[in-house]
Amino acid sequence: VIEDLALIADEWRAFEKTADGTIFQSFDWQAAWLRHIGARSRVNPAIVVGRSEAGEILFLLPLAVERRGAIRRLRFLASDLCDYNGPLLAPGFAAAIGPERFGALWREIGRLLHANRRLRPHLVVLDKMPESIGSAANPMLALGVALNPSGAYLATLSGNWDSFYSAKRSSAWRKRDRWKRKRLGDHGAVALVNAEDGEARAATLRTLFAQKSRFFARLGVPDLFARPGYADFFLDIATMPAMADKVHVSSLTVAGAAAATNFGLVSGGRYYHVLVSYCEGELRRFGPGAVHLQELLRYALARGCSLFDFTIGDESYKREWSDVTLRLHDHRAAATPLGLLVLLPAVAGARAKRFVKQTPVLWRAALKVRALIGRLGQKPEAAHEGDED
């Protein structure tokens, strides 16, 4: 168990090039989170590295212990900004260590953590674990899991844009898409602008933050980018040289102004659709976000991606394009009697949340109530702007 990421940085970066996993478990993503967000809170990294007898890494599990009051929780490192959590696994890991052996391995990991007073947890909360890591079953699901309140959706990409688009959209839908694009064009030239260098990416992201903040206010949810370190994290990822070929930042411009923006990641033949925003005002009526998404799908196809990953979230537009539904799983367990007192209400709350999110009529009602609360909490001028939209 390694607490200082610098001690494992070179091996981690080398291992991730051949390991099965997602880009969210890459060293640069995890280290940037710790630098900008984790360092501001009571988080102790606990990177578990398993090696073969020859000393080669078999798996790397980025964990952390966070303090909330008197409770120490064992979680995935950077969990809140990882759409998928899990280990990095060497090719052939599943054949070497099946689910029955992983249980014993996990117990050994628990003993190592309990031997360190800083890392001794009261509660284990491991969430957003996908069913598979690469082509193999995720061994961590052997721990005993429940379904996460949300799922994830992926579109298999093949052929060229025209054939893919025709297969996904009916003629009536394509006609509607053309109408949206034409109405946007009535306000000026429509173009996809890819931010190629750090300065352009930073400028586009700042536009995304502003657009998204207004969206959050309209929904009545806390502003993600107002939290300490969160905007800095994304700016760092978007501009660091090590991530240059893995980050895609773009905007759909109308008459030169950003009508929609996005932050995406490209790795292992997969395009990860992470952050998206669109403008308020008149143009919003003509679906700039929908037009931008089509351009992103076209871009992913041109880059040779085989999957377009909409990541976690059950928004209807994701289902419209996707042919793969990915179920995500959570593992919760008490490590001490004090942890058990926290565990029971947490499990009940998670079940209730999933029930509401997976029951359309209840979820729509919850969204309306949340949006109403958000509007009531806005400043008068902000509320007026929303009414005009």
Side-chain angles (χ1 to χ4, degrees), residues 16-267:
E16 69 188 46
K17 292 178 181 178
T18 59
D20 291 323
T22 78
I23 195 168
F24 301 111
Q25 284 73 55
S26 65
F27 176 83
D28 290 307
W29 186 273
Q30 298 274 317
W33 182 91
L34 187 61
R35 188 163 54 247
H36 294 289
I37 300 168
R40 298 170 182 263
S41 55
R42 301 167 73 182
V43 172
N44 282 104
I47 312 303
V48 182
V49 182
R51 300 180 185 272
S52 67
E53 291 182 354
E56 297 177 342
I57 297 180
L58 290 177
F59 71 91
L60 190 150
L61 184 56
L63 299 176
V65 174
E66 64 177 26
R67 290 288 300 267
R68 292 188 182 178
I71 302 295
R72 290 188 296 272
R73 288 172 168 82
L74 179 67
R75 308 204 63 175
F76 287 106
L77 184 65
S79 177
D80 59 334
L81 288 184
C82 293
D83 285 4
Y84 306 124
N85 289 312
L88 290 174
L89 303 176
F93 175 89
I97 303 177
E100 66 285 349
R101 293 186 63 191
F102 188 81
L105 183 64
W106 181 250
R107 288 191 292 274
E108 177 61 23
I109 291 170
R111 284 191 288 269
L112 288 171
L113 294 173
H114 277 272
N116 186 326
R117 293 191 64 180
R118 290 188 303 277
L119 304 179
R120 190 180 301 162
H122 298 99
L123 186 66
V124 179
V125 181
L126 304 176
D127 58 2
K128 296 181 288 185
M129 296 187 291
E131 294 175 301
S132 59
I133 304 290
S135 60
N138 186 346
M140 299 198 71
L141 269 57
L143 301 180
V145 295
L147 285 172
N148 185 276
S150 300
Y153 300 87
L154 296 82
T156 302
L157 303 178
S158 61
N160 58 31
W161 165 249
D162 291 335
S163 61
F164 174 81
Y165 181 50
S166 297
K168 290 291 183 181
R169 303 293 244 190
S170 67
S171 58
W173 210 314
R174 296 198 300 273
K175 181 178 180 180
R176 173 71 174 171
D177 287 343
R178 289 194 296 271
W179 178 85
K180 290 180 180 178
R181 194 177 288 264
K182 183 178 184 302
R183 293 306 304 268
L184 286 175
D186 291 341
H187 293 78
V190 179
L192 177 71
V193 177
N194 296 314
E196 301 292 354
D197 57 37
E199 184 177 350
R201 288 177 174 181
T204 302
L205 274 185
R206 290 189 178 96
T207 299
L208 186 154
F209 299 157
Q211 291 177 342
K212 201 72 171 175
S213 294
R214 292 190 58 171
F215 175 75
F216 288 141
R218 181 155 47 82
L219 283 187
V221 300
D223 184 352
L224 174 70
F225 304 110
R227 300 176 186 174
Y230 281 71
D232 292 336
F233 166 83
F234 284 104
L235 288 169
D236 190 8
I237 290 290
T239 57
M240 70 169 61
M243 294 288 288
D245 62 339
K246 299 176 182 178
V247 170
H248 178 237
V249 176
S250 73
S251 58
L252 184 84
T253 61
V254 177
T261 55
N262 93 294
F263 170 92
L265 300 166
V266 182
S267 179

Side-chain angles (χ1 to χ4, degrees), residues 273 288-298 308 310 317 321:
H273 194 43
V291 175
H292 191 199
L293 176 58
Q294 293 173 30
E295 295 300 321
L296 294 176
L297 287 160
R298 189 199 300 265
F308 192 95
F310 288 95
Y317 78 90
W321 292 97

Side-chain angles (χ1 to χ4, degrees), residues 314-363:
D314 295 299
E315 294 85 352
S316 59
Y317 78 90
K318 298 179 179 181
R319 296 190 183 95
E320 294 167 2
W321 292 97
S322 298
D323 59 306
V324 177
T325 300
L326 186 62
R327 295 193 303 174
L328 303 177
H329 301 265
D330 302 339
H331 169 72
R332 288 180 169 84
T336 67
L338 182 58
L340 184 62
L341 294 176
V342 180
L343 175 66
L344 297 178
V347 169
R351 289 175 178 172
K353 183 177 180 181
R354 175 169 176 79
F355 177 74
V356 170
K357 293 196 74 171
Q358 298 301 322
T359 306
V361 64
L362 293 178
W363 184 233

